[in-house]
Amino acid sequence: VGAGLTRADIVVAARNLMNEHGVEWLTMRRLAEHLGVKAGAIYWHFANKDEICVDVVDAIEADLDWSAATTGAPRERLVAHIECLRAHWQQNPSAVALGRRFRPTAAGRFTEAGQQLLIDMGLPADEAVEQWRALIWMVIGFFYVEDGVRHSTHHHPIEGEPGRYHVDVDDRRSLLDTGSLFARVVTLALDGLDAAVARARAGERP
Amino acid sequence: VGAGLTRADIVVAARNLMNEHGVEWLTMRRLAEHLGVKAGAIYWHFANKDEICVDVVDAIEADLDWSAATTGAPRERLVAHIECLRAHWQQNPSAVALGRRFRPTAAGRFTEAGQQLLIDMGLPADEAVEQWRALIWMVIGFFYVEDGVRHSTHHHPIEGEPGRYHVDVDDRRSLLDTGSLFARVVTLALDGLDAAVARARAGERP
DNA sequence: ACCTGAACACCGTTCAAGT
DNA sequence: ACCTGAACACCGTTCAAGT
């Protein structure tokens, strides 16, 4: 009876289920059950599970919108640019674990816009490419650590306060606020970029 | 018959096999086979696989040595401190993937020494704790991204040149050198820290 | 063309039974 | 006390067979 299932159906279901229950939760059989079909049926549309994950990563990436980051000084626009990425990954939690395997670093027009912002800040074009790479590795790396914390036995989420954790380590308990920590990381990086801009303006080659 | 196998034997074997073949390669049956035993036997010594991984992480962490980072100006010592961590994780590749699940952030005496270096640079003690956290999240995050790159289909390692990759993305090929990229990230972060120190000296509260 | 049913080779884990 | 053998409930994947 046929044609009830499309590639798009499978990708949409996989994306939603992963965002809701986590990447590890989703198996071929669960995905199939959700689609009202047997696991083998999916293999007529996709060669394997990885191929589905690649399409999910593509779909999530296509939804990334950074149009908010178009006003203010270059440094403020860059901060807004980065915060768009953070907001996007918070809305698509599975993108972190998925991207780690299938697209470890950002690319495409988001990267081009980011590099342009670094040029606007005063970096020469070739250095802007390198500094962007360093910046985005920091930011994406932060997301990976945050994702690890989410599954850690040492970190206990505080109910009602997303992004805040009690941390138990070496018999001491401390508090972790990933939101303010992220702001601190961005400040460190951008202050470092300001220094690089100052060096570039002074005509040095670091 | 009996007492041929100890917890230490299992942990040593697991650590070596993971460093050699990767974390995902190691299964209970392969571990057992390497120990000349059946998979069920391991469960007399450990409750489950995770418990072995925790011990492996502990064992690797115990080998971390940062005694090289004791000379020079505070900033140079901090750079050396961080590079000890990178060298250590390059010698124990499985620690990256393992630590991500079982110890996402650094702790213990390595952290205390790092915080002291920030105080030596001129930060007040409470801010040193926070800035250290930001710094270590950047550094560990970098390792996670690097580990993802190692398994990515877009990144092709250049033979004979560890840490260097050809990157294929959007029909363009570029070059990636994780060593120099790491140096750039550290420079960005430490320049940012210098700015924080300058603000602290000026008596501001950021 | 599209899907089912049943299998295959793997997992981690359990546990009676052996010694 | 320590280990084996055999099973259990799961994986991803394949593929003849159905319609």
Side-chain angles (χ1 to χ4, degrees), chain B residues 61-101:
Chain B
E61 192 181 279
D63 282 353
L64 174 58
D65 172 37
W66 65 92
S67 55
T70 48
T71 62
R75 172 161 173 158
E76 270 99 65
R77 293 210 304 274
L78 188 52
V79 170
H81 196 64
I82 290 169
E83 273 166 2
C84 285
L85 194 57
R86 179 162 165 82
H88 181 251
W89 282 20
Q90 278 176 335
Q91 285 159 27
N92 298 279
S94 61
V96 180
L98 237 45
R100 193 164 181 278
R101 281 199 56 205

Side-chain angles (χ1 to χ4, degrees), chain A:
Chain A
V1 282
L5 195 61
T6 70
R7 280 177 69 101
D9 291 336
I10 296 169
V11 172
V12 167
R15 173 179 176 171
N16 291 338
L17 291 172
M18 281 177 164
N19 276 335
E20 191 172 357
H21 299 105
V23 170
E24 298 198 341
W25 177 88
L26 192 67
T27 67
M28 286 292 129
R29 283 169 238 264
R30 286 208 249 246
L31 179 55
E33 191 188 19
H34 186 84
L35 290 162
V37 100
K38 301 295 174 185
I42 298 175
Y43 285 87
W44 194 88
H45 298 273
F46 286 92
N48 51 42
K49 195 182 182 185
D50 280 10
E51 203 174 285
I52 301 173
C53 292
V54 168
D55 274 23
V56 169
V57 169
D58 285 343
I60 290 177
E61 192 180 280
D63 282 355
L64 173 59
D65 172 36
W66 65 91
S67 55
T70 50
T71 62
R75 172 159 173 161
E76 269 100 65
R77 293 211 304 275
L78 187 52
V79 170
H81 196 64
I82 290 168
E83 274 166 1
C84 285
L85 193 57
R86 178 162 163 83
H88 181 250
W89 282 20
Q90 279 177 333
Q91 285 160 27
N92 298 278
S94 61
V96 180
L98 237 45
R100 192 164 183 278
R101 281 198 56 205
F102 299 102
R103 192 148 323 158
T105 56
R109 304 206 305 116
F110 180 80
T111 284
E112 291 166 27
Q115 289 170 349
Q116 184 57 50
L117 285 171
L118 290 178
I119 293 171
D120 294 348
M121 278 179 72
L123 289 180
D126 55 343
E127 196 188 340
V129 171
E130 296 297 320
Q131 295 287 22
W132 168 260
R133 211 179 232 179
L135 182 62
I136 202 69
W137 275 54
M138 286 174 156
V139 169
I140 294 182
F142 185 95
F143 298 153
Y144 290 167
V145 180
E146 190 176 5
D147 192 52
V149 156
R150 217 172 276 129
H151 303 96
S152 158
T153 55
H154 302 86
H155 296 75
H156 312 286
I158 303 175
E159 21 199 346
E161 302 182 42
R164 289 168 64 88
Y165 299 84
H166 290 298
V167 189
D168 287 328
V169 64
D170 295 345
D171 299 337
R172 270 212 299 270
R173 164 163 283 212
S174 59
L175 195 76
L176 170 65
D177 183 327
T178 58
S180 63
L181 185 57
F182 184 67
R184 199 178 281 274
V185 164
V186 171
T187 299
L188 271 185
L190 287 235
D191 285 350
L193 279 174
D194 280 341
V197 168
R199 275 197 298 270
R201 287 229 169 89
E204 293 178 22
R205 293 265 156 203

